């Protein structure tokens, strides 16, 4: 059991503040109401009592736990509430999980990216549950006239050695008025009853039944459908548009051009859209809007100095691969001398094209912009940055922007970049009505945020005894090299050289499922197999030898991997 300072403000404070641990914030405003499944309706309490921003307890002991982070298939909507429930010491069957809306003051890190949701939220979530449990125990202790330290809890029931007991539901009302404790005890992992035990996905039944979960499922009264015509190529702008025929088609409300990011907009890192000038078609239904989109007559033209193709990208990357960098990313020993004196060398080059995400659920977002507020609902990994941009483009306080996150239908990485949410916002503002923007499959394929095109060349030098003496790696990519210069095999060789080249592009590029690693891991491991074959060694044994060197006598200190762990995997 661990005793930990909560470092929370008292309940009497109206302003909620962040815990100095970078974790939980307690908030005492009423949480959003539940949307229970039909099976849970019969369990619904007559009254809910808020304990903190993460949970509320019903008078019958049912607990609603808010899941703060975006859900994109990594199952944090199940695992994060599990952590709260564990420290709360409630029976998991009595828990209802709800997706929290964006509220960075309450939940701090509401982001799906970098595989950090659990790692970053672990302490905060445990403290949320443990603090609530202590407040419930304090309330029960007051009623019984005993010390809270004499009480125990188990599956939502508080007990005393005298034989007295009460459920969380019976004491929830009183607990809501208890001051936040200055410190709480966290469970010893050996006492975990929920964490580490098989637990079903809380969205599983809805997924199986095809019930509403995703952004595409969302509907609102008076909602119109919007689609976008993007330029035909990157770096193009609108030359002319004839919307006469499209506007006259059934169900069409408006056709207009607009700029996603008005002049002076302070973009966030997630605003990578290469098509600021676009055309919107708004109507009653998706099919009617799609038909009108095809009827539009549009001409685009390249902005001076732009206009690129796959061919010239590959040529440009190949040209970079022939150049030496002024300053290598990393150099150990004297690789040039090792290659000059080598008895044998091998060289292999690997390349990969631009890749679209091809998400199961196309990009979409709901927006309802009025004079004083903006309400958004949709699938996004980075609601914080989307909120900041929307406040910018609308010229309103960020507090007036609300974002409700839906479950995402794939596209890990693509939905880091929320330009489609900004587009929906600008369209709703223009038409003065709630709209849902829907990308077509063609839009997703041609106007997405692509995994960059890459090239990498590996070279290895061997002595007369066929021993590996040096490795050189030279990588080039669009908007960044694919090479991680301090990762394996760096640190395992006396002579090692890594060079990185960057090709600037007008194409929207971004994270695509394990950024860079999805390409470089294959290239690296393929080449190491070639090296092992050249040396006449088993490929596993060869790698284990390198890991042993990196562990027992590493070259350099800035080696970004754990050789013992890697060897253990093999």
């Amino acid at each position: 059991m661990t005793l930990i300072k909560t470092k929370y403000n008292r309940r009497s404070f109206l302003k909620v503040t962040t815990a100095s641990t970078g974790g939980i914030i307690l908030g005492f405003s009423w949480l959003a109401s539940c949307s229970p499944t039909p099976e849970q309706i019969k369990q619904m309490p007559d009254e809910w009592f808020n304990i903190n921003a993460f949970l509320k307890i019903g008078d019958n002991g049912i607990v609603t736990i808010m899941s703060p982070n975006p859900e994109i298939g990594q199952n944090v909507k199940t695992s994060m509430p599990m952590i709260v429930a564990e420290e709360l010491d409630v029976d998991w069957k009595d828990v209802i999980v709800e997706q929290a809306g964006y509220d960075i003051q309450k939940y701090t890190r509401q982001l799906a990216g970098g595989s950090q949701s659990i790692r970053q939220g672990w302490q905060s979530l445990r403290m949320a549950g443990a603090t609530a449990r202590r407040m419930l125990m304090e309330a029960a202790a007051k009623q019984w006239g005993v010390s809270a330290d004499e009480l125990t809890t188990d599956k939502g029931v508080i007990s005393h050695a005298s034989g007295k007991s009460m459920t969380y539901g019976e004491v929830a009302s009183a607990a809501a008025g208890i001051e936040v404790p200055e410190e709480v005890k966290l469970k010893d992992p050996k006492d975990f009853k929920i964490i580490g035990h098989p637990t079903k996905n809380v969205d599983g039944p809805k997924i199986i039944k095809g019930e509403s979960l995703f952004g595409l499922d969302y509907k609102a009264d008076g909602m119109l459908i919007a689609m976008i015509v993007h330029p035909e190529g990157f770096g193009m702008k609108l030359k002319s548009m004839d919307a006469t025929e499209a506007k006259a088609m059934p169900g069409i409300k408006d056709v207009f051009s607009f700029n996603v990011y008005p002049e002076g907009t302070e973009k966030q890192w997630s605003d990578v859209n290469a098509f600021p000038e676009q055309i919107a078609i708004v109507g009653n239904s998706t099919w009617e809007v799609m038909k009108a989109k095809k009827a539009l007559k549009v001409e685009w033209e390249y902005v001076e100095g732009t206009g690129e193709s796959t061919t010239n990208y590959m040529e440009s990357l190949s040209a970079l691969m022939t150049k030496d960098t002024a300053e290598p990313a990393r150099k150990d020993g004297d690789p040039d001398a090792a290659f000059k004196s080598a008895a044998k060398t091998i060289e292999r080059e690997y390349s990969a094209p631009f890749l679209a995400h091809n998400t199961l659920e196309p990009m979409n977002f709901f927006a309802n912009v009025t004079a004083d507020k903006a309400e958004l609902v949709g699938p996004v990994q980075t609601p914080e940055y989307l909120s900041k941009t929307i406040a910018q483009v609308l010229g309103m306080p960020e507090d007036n922007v609300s974002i409700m996150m839906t479950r995402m239908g794939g596209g890990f990485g693509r939905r880091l970049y929320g330009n489609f949410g900004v587009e929906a916002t600008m369209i709703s503002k223009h038409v003065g009505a709630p709209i849902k923007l829907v990308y077509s499959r063609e839009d997703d394929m041609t106007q997405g945020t692509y995994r960059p095109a890459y090239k990498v060349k590996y070279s290895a030098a061997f002595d007369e005894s066929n021993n590996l003496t040096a490795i050189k790696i030279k990588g080039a990519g669009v908007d960044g090299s694919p090479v991680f210069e301090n990762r394996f095999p760096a640190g395992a060789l006396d002579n090692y050289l890594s060079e990185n080249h960057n090709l600037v592009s007008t194409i929207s590029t971004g994270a695509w499922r394990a950024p860079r690693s999805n390409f470089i891991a294959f290239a690296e491991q393929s080449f190491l197999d070639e090296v092992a074959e050249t040396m006449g060694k088993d490929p596993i044994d060869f790698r284990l030898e390198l890991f042993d060197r990196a562990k027992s006598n590493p070259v350099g200190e800035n080696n970004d991997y754990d050789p013992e762990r890697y060897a253990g995997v093999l």
Side-chain angles (χ1 to χ4, degrees), residues 439-470:
Y439 274 31
S440 68
R441 182 60 68 204
E442 292 89 344
D443 292 332
D444 265 343
M445 289 290 289
T446 60
Q447 319 299 334
T449 304
Y450 299 94
R451 197 288 303 277
Y454 289 130
K455 277 185 180 291
V456 66
K457 181 168 66 177
Y458 286 86
S459 306
F462 306 86
D463 63 17
E464 295 84 353
S465 301
N466 223 22
N467 296 312
L468 176 65
T469 59

Side-chain angles (χ1 to χ4, degrees), residues 70 149 188 201 210 243 363 447 545:
D149 292 334
D188 189 309
N201 185 326
M363 299 304 109
Q447 319 299 334
E545 289 174 10

